[in-house]
């Protein structure tokens, strides 16, 4: 059913950023971590961190109103119990890295009007130029956000026929671990940039997969892929590139596969109109704001580009409403 708009709905939409900005600022100031051990007063926090008392009090009060903090009768602020399990660094399952990543997205999205007007993006993000701290936050955010989905995606496929897989742009290793967990006969290669593989190595060691995963440092845009693979995974990679870049990505994937091998492409897959699903249409705006030529693509576009590289039997192998659709294709024997 089509939306019926009125003044209230439009004004609510235009102000939807208020709460997100408050949460992002709290994350950037690490307010939740500073209150994790015990409640503290505005005076104590401002003395320790040189914050402005007026600004600190207003922010702490609104976080209390949003039920992320609790305020004691003597004016001290502490963590709400369920929020503490999610908003403190170092706690398993913490979403704090993702919220800090949202803060960086805030900066790129602020240029959206000019990007649409001019086609130029002065704030485009390149992995190779990101600071170590920024990149580690991003990879940690993707790890937290991707863990459950990675398992669901891996469970969608019969992996019994595969012995060797390549995860291109594998990030923290969250997907290659999910696939290897489901397929004990498999080993894998995680292929990514030097700053990323440093984080991946730590995660693989923490979770006991380092003996089954070879880490290969490289840039998927300029370096060839390791050969001899039965399965190539392109997980959340194609939206960063234009179609020409993706055709090159598919070509290198094809060359890395043994005959009969499979490539899996996980990403947003749009309908022919490019207006559904909504999450994918919004993500295309994120790519407009954050990259020079990235976007989201329809199934027909992905199919055409895979076939241009020589792949056959292209199909939508997994349905989904977000970045959980998977297109599969096979290298002929």
């Amino acid at each position: 059913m089509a939306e019926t708009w009125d003044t209230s709905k439009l004004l609510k939409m235009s102000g939807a950023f208020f709460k997100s900005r408050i949460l992002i600022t709290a994350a950037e100031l690490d307010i939740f971590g500073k209150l994790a051990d015990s409640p503290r007063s505005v005076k104590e926090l401002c003395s320790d961190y040189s914050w402005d008392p007026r600004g600190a009090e207003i922010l702490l009060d609104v976080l209390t109103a949003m039920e992320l903090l609790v305020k004691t009768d003597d004016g001290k602020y502490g963590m709400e119990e369920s929020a503490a399990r999610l908003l403190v660094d170092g706690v398993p399952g913490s979403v704090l890295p993702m919220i800090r990543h949202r803060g960086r997205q805030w900066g790129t999205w602020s240029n959206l009007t000019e990007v649409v007007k001019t086609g130029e993006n002065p704030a485009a993000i390149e992995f190779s130029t990101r600071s170590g701290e920024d990149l580690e936050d991003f990879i940690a955010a993707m790890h937290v956000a991707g863990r459950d989905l990675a398992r669901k995606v891996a469970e969608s496929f019969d992996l019994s026929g595969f012995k060797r897989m390549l995860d291109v742009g594998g990030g923290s290793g969250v997907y290659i671990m999910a696939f290897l967990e489901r397929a004990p006969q498999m080993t894998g290669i995680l292929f990514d940039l030097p700053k990323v593989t440093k984080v991946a190595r730590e995660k693989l060691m923490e979770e006991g997969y380092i003996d089954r995963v070879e880490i290969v440092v490289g840039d998927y845009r300029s370096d060839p892929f390791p050969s001899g693979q039965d399965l190539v995974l392109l997980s959340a990679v194609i939206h960063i590139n234009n179609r020409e870049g993706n055709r090159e990505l598919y070509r290198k994937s094809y060359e890395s596969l043994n005959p009969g091998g499979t490539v899996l492409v996980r990403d947003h897959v749009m309908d022919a109109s490019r207006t559904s699903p909504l999450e994918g249409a919004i993500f295309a705006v994120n790519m407009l704001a954050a990259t020079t030529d990235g976007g989201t693509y329809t199934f027909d576009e992905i199919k055409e580009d895979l076939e241009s590289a020589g792949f056959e039997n292209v199909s939508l192998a997994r349905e989904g409403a977000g970045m959980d659709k998977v297109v599969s294709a096979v290298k002929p024997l």
Side-chain angles (χ1 to χ4, degrees):
M1 182 176 177
E3 184 71 63
T4 301
W5 292 101
D6 58 28
T7 300
S8 176
K9 288 181 180 178
L10 290 170
L11 292 181
K12 184 177 181 180
M13 179 182 284
S14 70
F17 70 91
F18 292 163
K19 287 184 178 180
S20 64
R21 183 63 256 183
I22 290 165
L23 179 58
I24 288 167
T25 293
E28 290 174 343
L29 293 171
D30 193 27
I31 282 176
F32 307 113
K34 291 172 171 59
L35 298 177
D37 293 331
S38 62
R40 305 181 73 182
S41 68
V42 171
K43 183 176 180 180
E44 289 170 334
L45 289 166
C46 291
S47 174
D48 287 349
Y49 303 107
S50 301
W51 294 346
D52 171 67
R54 174 174 173 267
E57 184 172 27
I58 288 173
L59 182 62
L60 292 165
D61 280 343
V62 73
L63 289 167
T64 303
M66 291 166 61
E67 300 184 358
L68 293 168
L69 300 180
V70 293
K71 189 175 183 179
T72 63
D73 292 339
D74 59 354
K76 291 189 175 183
Y77 301 84
M79 286 297 299
E80 193 280 330
E81 184 179 352
S82 61
R85 295 195 296 269
L86 297 170
L87 293 171
V88 176
D89 264 328
V91 176
S94 172
V95 298
L96 201 62
M98 177 58 82
I99 295 171
R100 286 195 294 254
H101 174 57
R102 297 288 191 229
R104 294 181 177 92
Q105 288 180 300
W106 184 280
T108 56
W109 276 64
S110 296
N111 296 295
L112 182 59
T113 302
E114 284 304 308
V115 175
V116 171
K117 285 170 59 178
T118 67
E120 300 293 328
N121 191 350
I125 297 171
E126 290 290 340
F127 267 85
S128 58
T129 61
R130 276 182 160 172
S131 70
E133 181 182 1
D134 181 6
L135 194 56
E136 286 184 22
D137 257 357
F138 175 76
I139 297 301
M142 297 304 105
H143 190 84
V144 169
R147 186 189 299 270
D148 290 342
L149 180 57
R151 288 195 174 112
K152 290 176 183 177
V153 169
E155 289 167 0
S156 301
F157 298 97
D158 177 5
L159 303 175
S160 59
F162 301 114
K163 293 182 179 179
R164 185 74 167 167
M165 75 171 287
L166 170 67
D167 188 356
V168 178
S172 69
V174 68
Y175 270 83
I176 200 168
M177 286 189 279
F179 274 70
L180 296 186
E181 179 182 33
R182 182 159 172 80
Q185 83 283 357
M186 270 206 310
T187 58
I189 296 175
L190 187 147
F191 183 88
D192 216 321
L193 298 168
K195 293 177 184 177
V196 180
T197 54
K198 175 178 176 290
V199 179
R201 186 178 299 278
E202 293 171 359
K203 295 291 185 185
L204 291 163
M205 290 181 68
E206 284 173 14
E207 304 201 24
Y209 286 91
I210 193 66
D211 292 337
R212 295 175 62 193
V213 179
E214 178 185 356
I215 294 175
V216 175
V217 175
D219 184 338
Y220 72 73
R221 293 184 175 181
S222 56
D223 296 323
F225 297 164
S227 60
Q229 310 304 314
D230 301 311
L231 176 66
V232 171
L233 177 64
L234 303 174
S235 177
V237 173
I238 68 168
H239 60 249
I240 302 170
N241 315 305
N242 60 22
R243 288 186 65 185
E244 181 181 354
N246 284 332
R247 284 192 289 270
E248 177 64 8
L249 191 64
Y250 299 148
R251 184 191 65 77
K252 291 197 284 189
S253 298
Y254 186 92
E255 290 178 352
S256 76
L257 282 166
N258 296 322
T262 297
V263 62
L264 297 177
V265 182
R266 178 189 75 88
D267 220 295
H268 289 290
V269 180
M270 304 301 294
D271 71 0
S273 75
R274 299 185 184 279
T275 63
S276 182
L278 173 60
E279 186 177 329
I282 292 173
F283 196 83
V285 179
N286 187 41
M287 291 298 95
L288 179 65
T291 70
T292 55
D293 52 10
T296 54
Y297 302 100
T298 68
F299 173 76
D300 286 342
E301 288 172 330
I302 296 169
K303 182 176 185 289
E304 181 181 329
D305 293 342
L306 282 165
E307 289 175 342
S308 75
F311 284 105
E312 297 179 351
N313 302 328
V314 182
S315 67
L316 186 60
R318 188 181 194 277
E319 289 280 3
M323 203 186 292
D324 52 352
K325 292 184 179 180
V326 180
V327 176
S328 70
V330 176
K331 179 175 179 175
L333 292 168

